[in-house]
Amino acid sequence: MSIVVTGATGHLGRHVVTQLLEKVPAEQITAVVRDEAKAADFAAKGVKIAVADYNAPETFDGVFAAGDKVLLISGNEFDKGRPAQHQVVIDAAKAAGVALLAYTSAPGSLTASLVDDHRATEKVLLASGLPYTLLRNGWYHENYTENLAPVLEHNAVVAAAGEGRVSSASRADYAAAAVAVLTGEGHENQTYELGGDTAWGFAEYAAEIAKQTGKDIAYNSVPGEVLHGILTGAGVPEMFAGILVGVDASIAEGELVVDSGDLSRLAGRPTSPISEAIAVALKG
């Protein structure tokens, strides 16, 4: 039996594999990657490497075996039809007879267009008859903290989220939940709504950056169309800018407040605060 992680060299996948190595022998882990060179560090530790691509179904032949537990990390190619990409993995997992397929989805409360691909994938997964776990991941701290340069340049946090709040957590926190599911028992056919312990608003976020940098940082709440123009002007592709504006609209409606407590329960510890992620980003 292997624990198989797709997208293993992506931002979330790296955290998952690294944390799995603390729990199970390396030879029980298979990292599925598109570029073998990017997984050289995992291979050096004894992790099995499988080269496969969501866009090429035949590359998944033989990747899974009966009894495996699989983590399907959602793809990030928004323009390539993600549900069809994910179905490639689900079909291969079903054909192999895996014991569990966990999928990184989005909160059930979210209605932004971002969730359409996730809901379509969930539908395919449930129809497959595979034992499943839905890891409905909320927003990541890093979605914000990895993009501090314009905030520091303009002394402003700009969003179209009004007074909305976000229950974000770090990628490492979400990875810990996934690892708990992959290494534990009793998670079959379960849906977990995952979010950070403490929701925050953008004025608080701006104040925390100000506190840590000594700069005067304001929160500028702007209409969605203004944010769309700012993003596309900064080189963000039109389609992705639209997705981000839609997420902000959902935040304004309270749709990214996840208060189930599932994330800290699965991780076995409190989630890390946004202030910690800001500190890490500023050091980087």
Side-chain angles (χ1 to χ4, degrees), residues 17-18 21 23 25 29 34 45 53 55 59 63-64 77 85 87 105 151 154 175 189-190 203 205 210 273 280:
V17 174
T18 299
L21 284 165
K23 295 275 184 83
I29 305 168
R34 281 191 294 193
K45 291 175 180 172
D53 189 322
N55 300 302
T59 62
V63 169
F64 306 122
E77 296 176 312
Q85 291 181 327
Q87 181 154 12
S105 191
V151 173
H154 300 291
N189 306 331
Q190 298 293 315
Y205 177 61
V280 169

Side-chain angles (χ1 to χ4, degrees), residues 196-280:
D197 294 337
T198 306
W200 51 268
F202 286 87
E204 293 166 73
Y205 177 61
E208 182 61 33
I209 298 170
K211 178 181 165 187
Q212 293 197 30
T213 60
K215 299 181 78 169
D216 190 13
I217 308 285
Y219 167 41
N220 292 344
S221 181
V222 299
E225 57 270 22
V226 172
L227 181 61
H228 192 277
I230 291 169
L231 292 170
T232 53
V236 176
E238 187 89 19
M239 180 184 179
F240 194 54
I243 288 171
L244 293 175
V245 171
V247 168
D248 271 15
S250 285
I251 291 171
E253 295 295 321
E255 294 177 9
L256 269 176
V257 173
V258 180
D259 56 10
S260 65
D262 285 351
L263 182 52
S264 52
R265 249 196 315 276
L266 283 172
R269 57 171 171 74
T271 61
S272 62
I274 186 72
S275 56
E276 199 173 285
I278 292 168
V280 169

Side-chain angles (χ1 to χ4, degrees), residues 72 82-83 86 90 103 117-125:
L72 168 54
R82 293 193 299 166
H86 299 155
I90 293 166
Y103 171 65
D117 289 352
H118 292 300
R119 297 293 169 258
T121 301
E122 288 184 6
K123 192 173 175 183
V124 170
L125 178 53

